[in-house]
Amino acid sequence: MDIEADIIEFKVPIENNKTLFVWDILPTLTEAFIYESIWNIFSDFGALYLVKVCQNAAVAEPGFYAIVKFYSSAQASRAQRATQGKGLFQKSPLKVRLCTRQSHGFSYNVKGLSNYKCQELANHYLGFNGWSSQVVTVQDISSTDGAADAGAGQDSQALRLKYGCIIELSFPDHNASCRGMGVAEQSYQNFPGHMEVCLMRGKLQKYAKNNALADAFRKVLLVLLSNGRVVVECRFDPDEILPDEDLTGVIKVSDISWDQFENVEEEDSLSELTLNMSN
């Protein structure tokens, strides 16, 4: 018998057949309870990109509805069939439907996942020990440009801090690996203080590392087989990243410690994961 396969890509899922709507949620429940209950129930069917709980429109009966977005259309379909008409976390039955609306406002320039969501998705299917990353190179490519201060009639220096990073992503159980590149920069019209520059350099190195890791994950495909196995495939373009022997003069590090920048706000905030819709 042939083994069916489901493909998971490390990109933002925008297809309607990956989105479920859940409604007839009782108004006596709290949004926090609904969110946690829906996430726990539907994540049993596969990795979730988004759960969003909303109040019903003022013209409708009091209560809530929820949006659940999967990475896989097959998993979304299975979840819909298994949960439709069941109470799940309340006594009265819930309506669970696949999205059928044609969303012409969506852009089909597919976006890659953030660094945080990439790691979350990889951990879900491969486990925390199923993959690893290593910083291959970090390069300071900052520059200064002369600029005339028209108001003061004096010359000043514009500073652009910029870091590039290459990361290697490995999947030891699948004998697969790939690399990603990331860049982060910050510009100043005038030279800031020494302490500010030092802190910003640390932030930019971290952001470049995060961007490189996300770029590497974009080359990865997870193949979910019907027998429960997960196969990892890496797409590789030899022209994208220089081989090691061509990286002369680039700073090489085994890893970067960011303990000294613990006050830096995480780049991949969950608040970015919002979905606009009309009821």
Side-chain angles (χ1 to χ4, degrees):
M1 183 179 65
D2 293 337
I3 298 178
E4 297 181 357
D6 193 11
I7 306 297
I8 303 292
E9 297 183 79
F10 286 80
K11 64 181 184 180
V12 176
I14 61 174
E15 299 85 351
N16 289 334
N17 60 3
K18 297 179 180 178
T19 303
L20 298 180
F21 292 103
V22 183
W23 66 93
D24 285 350
I25 303 175
L26 297 176
T28 55
L29 304 175
T30 66
E31 290 190 33
F33 173 80
I34 297 168
Y35 179 92
E36 182 178 3
S37 299
I38 288 181
W39 188 281
N40 291 336
I41 291 169
F42 285 92
S43 61
D44 286 341
F45 297 93
L48 303 180
Y49 171 74
L50 171 72
V51 170
K52 185 174 178 65
V53 179
C54 308
Q55 289 187 341
N56 289 343
V59 295
E61 295 182 359
F64 299 90
Y65 66 91
I67 304 166
V68 183
K69 185 172 284 290
F70 285 81
Y71 290 98
S72 162
S73 58
Q75 292 171 352
S77 180
R78 286 195 293 270
Q80 189 276 328
R81 294 194 301 268
T83 58
Q84 161 58 19
K86 296 183 179 180
L88 301 179
F89 51 85
Q90 63 181 37
K91 292 183 179 180
S92 58
L94 295 167
K95 292 180 181 178
V96 183
R97 297 285 190 273
L98 278 169
C99 176
T100 57
R101 179 179 302 171
Q102 298 297 318
S103 301
H104 299 292
F106 273 130
S107 171
Y108 286 91
N109 295 323
V110 179
K111 296 174 57 179
L113 293 177
S114 67
N115 171 57
Y116 171 83
K117 297 300 285 185
C118 285
Q119 296 187 55
E120 182 182 66
L121 182 57
N123 291 338
H124 182 93
Y125 288 110
L126 303 174
F128 292 95
N129 297 321
W131 64 278
S132 63
S133 63
Q134 180 180 6
V135 177
V136 178
T137 65
V138 174
Q139 183 177 20
D140 182 354
I141 47 180
S142 303
S143 63
T144 57
D145 299 311
D149 187 344
Q154 298 177 346
D155 290 338
S156 62
Q157 290 286 325
L159 173 64
R160 184 178 66 167
L161 298 177
K162 188 173 183 180
Y163 281 85
C165 178
I166 296 177
I167 279 185
E168 183 166 43
L169 191 60
S170 301
F171 304 89
D173 295 337
H174 302 270
N175 194 29
S177 64
C178 60
R179 289 183 175 185
M181 302 178 65
V183 175
E185 64 180 289
Q186 174 67 41
S187 297
Y188 297 92
Q189 290 301 315
N190 296 291
F191 275 93
H194 177 72
M195 182 59 67
E196 183 179 351
V197 170
C198 290
L199 291 174
M200 181 54 66
R201 287 186 184 276
K203 293 180 183 180
L204 293 178
Q205 290 179 59
K206 177 180 180 180
Y207 296 156
K209 177 183 176 182
N210 289 345
N211 293 338
L213 185 59
D215 181 62
F217 270 115
R218 293 186 188 107
K219 301 176 176 66
V220 177
L221 294 177
L222 300 179
V223 184
L224 311 182
L225 305 179
S226 58
N227 60 6
R229 289 188 57 203
V230 178
V231 178
V232 175
E233 296 288 342
C234 292
R235 295 169 290 190
F236 177 68
D237 183 351
D239 295 329
E240 286 185 359
I241 299 178
L242 295 174
D244 289 344
E245 56 267 23
D246 291 338
L247 295 175
T248 305
V250 179
I251 301 172
K252 294 192 176 184
V253 297
S254 59
D255 205 344
I256 300 174
S257 174
W258 304 111
D259 293 340
Q260 59 181 314
F261 308 112
E262 59 184 359
N263 294 326
V264 177
E265 182 179 2
E266 283 298 327
E267 177 189 29
D268 304 307
S269 172
L270 291 179
S271 63
E272 297 175 357
L273 306 180
T274 57
L275 179 66
N276 296 324
M277 63 160 288
S278 56
N279 187 20

